[in-house]
């Protein structure tokens, strides 16, 4: 499926944007779309090779870009990245907290250590980066837009409960920022993504599994990173200046439909009898 963004080439003209995880997937597409619509872009990620590819492509298109390896979980690396952004651009108007990750596991196998590791990457790190960007640039300038990346369906996702819990917190965080920082002219939105065809998604099982999952999406296909990117670029633009404190769902209707799969078979108790007690069979 080919995708052509409807946004004007100057929709974000003059803005300076940070995109974390900007070397691959949704982050890469968002960096390209923000740059195409006129923004100067600073991207970071853990692996330098994908970042360098994006930088080369954007500069070849005449875009202004800074690319720098940075693990958003590490305070020293974040500080160095923000110092480089300050030296190059002097301000930040848009922050897209795209970096994240998780591992697939049944809920009973997720230990506290694993839960905390996923929360650190998907919730703690975006908040700390947001706080620093706001204190450095957005609050003094009395303007800014912050975007978080959430999950759809917007309820527990099987084998991803640790991550879907952290991503749900990002929805609440976006609303809280909108409430408290509206006085500084700062907007915040969470974009909850459904089944999006990215390298990371394909790593879970390849094209065949992605197509299987797509059968539970009302639009019957996975989304494209560019479709998420154009949504984020619009939200960052003056055209969305009255949108804040909410969650925008980009999922082909998956959240409205539900999980779209049969629930697991109820397993018998150790005695071989059905569950008994509150909420069970009598």
């Amino acid at each position: 499926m080919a995708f052509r963004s409807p946004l004007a080439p100057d929709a974000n003209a003059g803005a300076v944007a940070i995109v974390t995880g900007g070397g691959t997937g949704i982050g890469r597409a968002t960096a390209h779309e923000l740059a195409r619509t006129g923004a100067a872009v600073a991207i970071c990620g853990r692996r330098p090779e994908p970042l360098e590819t994006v930088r080369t492509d954007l500069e070849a298109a005449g875009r202004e870009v800074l690319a720098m390896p940075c693990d958003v979980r590490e305070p020293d690396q974040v500080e160095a990245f923000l110092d480089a952004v300050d030296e190059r651009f002097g301000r930040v108007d848009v922050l897209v907290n795209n970096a994240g990750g998780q591992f697939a596991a049944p809920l009973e196998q997720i230990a506290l250590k694993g839960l905390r590791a996923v929360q650190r990457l998907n919730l703690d790190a975006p908040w700390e980066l947001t706080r620093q960007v706001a204190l450095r640039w957005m609050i003094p300038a009395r303007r800014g837009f912050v975007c978080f990346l959430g999950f759809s369906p917007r309820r527990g996702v099987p084998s991803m409960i640790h991550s879907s819990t952290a991503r749900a917190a990002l929805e609440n965080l976006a609303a809280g920022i909108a409430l408290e920082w509206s006085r500084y002219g700062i907007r915040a939105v969470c974009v909850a993504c459904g089944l999006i065809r990215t390298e990371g998604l394909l790593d879970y099982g390849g094209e065949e599994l992605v197509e299987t999952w797509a059968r539970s999406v009302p639009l019957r296909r996975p989304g494209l990173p560019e479709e998420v990117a154009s949504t984020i670029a619009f939200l960052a633009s003056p055209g969305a200046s009255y949108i804040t404190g909410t969650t925008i769902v980009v999922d082909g209707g998956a959240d409205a439909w539900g999980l779209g799969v049969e629930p697991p078979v109820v397993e018998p108790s150790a005695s071989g009898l059905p569950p008994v007690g509150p909420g069970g069979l009598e």
Side-chain angles (χ1 to χ4, degrees), residues 147-224:
C147 179
F148 299 101
L149 272 292
F151 270 5
S152 173
R154 296 168 63 212
R155 52 188 70 85
V157 177
S159 297
M160 293 287 177
I161 301 302
H162 47 353
S163 189
S164 60
T165 298
R167 307 284 184 147
L170 293 176
E171 295 193 30
N172 193 281
L173 180 56
I177 289 172
L179 294 175
E180 291 211 17
W181 290 353
S182 60
R183 67 184 184 272
Y184 302 131
I186 297 173
R187 296 184 297 115
V189 172
C190 183
V191 174
C193 302
L195 187 71
I196 308 299
R197 188 190 296 277
T198 63
E199 301 96 317
L201 179 69
L202 291 170
D203 284 344
Y204 285 108
E207 290 285 353
E208 185 176 351
L209 185 57
V210 170
E211 292 305 320
T212 299
W213 287 335
R215 294 184 196 130
S216 65
V217 177
L219 287 184
R220 293 286 179 157
R221 65 172 178 86
L224 300 176

Side-chain angles (χ1 to χ4, degrees), residues 49-73:
E49 294 83 5
L51 296 174
E52 183 62 20
T53 298
V54 175
R55 183 192 67 80
T56 300
D57 290 345
L58 290 180
E59 287 186 343
R63 314 300 183 188
E64 193 171 3
V65 58
L66 168 70
M68 180 173 172
C70 171
D71 186 334
V72 293
R73 297 169 296 185

Side-chain angles (χ1 to χ4, degrees), residues 26 145-152 167 170-171 174 189-194 227-229 231-232 235 246-250:
I26 292 171
F145 171 69
V146 179
C147 179
F148 299 101
L149 272 292
F151 270 5
S152 173
R167 307 284 184 147
L170 293 176
E171 295 193 30
V189 172
C190 183
V191 174
C193 302
E227 291 175 301
V228 181
T231 301
I232 294 172
L235 290 168
T246 191
T247 297
I248 306 297
V249 183
V250 185

Side-chain angles (χ1 to χ4, degrees), residues 269-280:
S269 64
S271 65
L273 298 174
V276 177

Side-chain angles (χ1 to χ4, degrees), residues 74 78 110 114 138 151 154 159 169 244:
E74 301 300 330
V78 169
I110 300 174
M138 292 183 176
F151 270 5
R154 296 168 63 212
S159 297
T244 190

